[in-house]
Amino acid sequence: MDGVIKFYELAPSVGSTHYFSPNTWKTRMGLLHKGVKFETIPATLLDFRGDLARRSNQPKISAPAIELPDGTFIYDSFRIAEWLETAYPNAPSLFTGDGKLSSEARPEHVTIGKNYARLTDLGLGASKPEWAVWFDLFFSQLDKLIAGDDHRAYFMSDVRHGPQGYQKLMALDRQEYIRRAKMNIQPLVQVLRERPQEYFQGTHPGQVDYIIFGRYAYCRTLDATLTKEIWNDQGEELNDWIEKLCQAYDGHAQQLFDSLPVIE
Ligand SMILES: N[C@@H](CCC(=O)N[C@@H](CS)C(=O)NCC(=O)O)C(=O)O
């Protein structure tokens, strides 16, 4: 593809590049996997609701979104992954986990890999409060990142979280959520233990890995100490997998993590 793809990353406030969104991380890793040249453009929640909704002519646009050189917008991390898979056939498949090119992949292999990724995406990869622990547990850290009167008003509003939603999220028993978050991680440790040295997608990383890594990155960008306790300290296998993905693509994720200020 000629020209650079624009990758709209979710920024917590104007001027901040503290990228925390689990969904945008899925796309960031997918773009790197396919070797796509892309330019990161920070956009706040209000930019998505206003400017980007207008320019894309897609009122429900959410983060992540990409804009192709011809002006076409694609949003939703899974839709973007499916698009990348077909638009870049001469790069490794995102769904087979065998390191082979998409053009060489058997369609049924891609379908199975895609179903596995989708199930993970709608499960551990999803952020819905009350069903997933992640959004709730890290909410008070995220709250500290959201700056600017307009952004704070929108972030705290009942439109986003339902009646008294913000107050309820801020008042949670975090210890109970930490316990449940650790339970969520157990299946991951187990799978890696059963298939030593492999990735979730297979012998090579794929969309399933990027979805899980997106969840990790969300935690890591909001609270590094708690993330170590919940993720890295639960098993050597998971710790090794995290390390491999942090160092992948010239240490892209590691560099981003290292550049973040600690949220006090
Ligand atoms: N399933 C979607 C979820 C996207 C999503 O919920 N993005 C959030 C940020 S992490 C968003 O942009 N929300 C817009 C809003 O709340 O106004 C995906 O994977 O792309």
Side-chain angles (χ1 to χ4, degrees), residues 10 20-24 26-27 45 48-49 61-64 75-78 118 121-122 127 154 160:
L10 187 60
F20 65 92
S21 158
N23 297 308
T24 62
K26 299 168 192 171
T27 294
L45 282 172
F48 273 93
R49 293 282 54 82
I61 194 165
S62 55
Y75 75 94
D76 185 277
S77 60
F78 206 79
R118 189 61 177 147
D121 200 38
L122 297 172
S127 301
Y154 179 60
R160 281 195 67 74

Side-chain angles (χ1 to χ4, degrees), residues 144-156:
K144 294 180 196 160
L145 271 188
I146 308 290
D149 291 349
D150 291 352
H151 288 101
R152 282 211 65 75
Y154 179 60
F155 182 74
M156 294 168 71

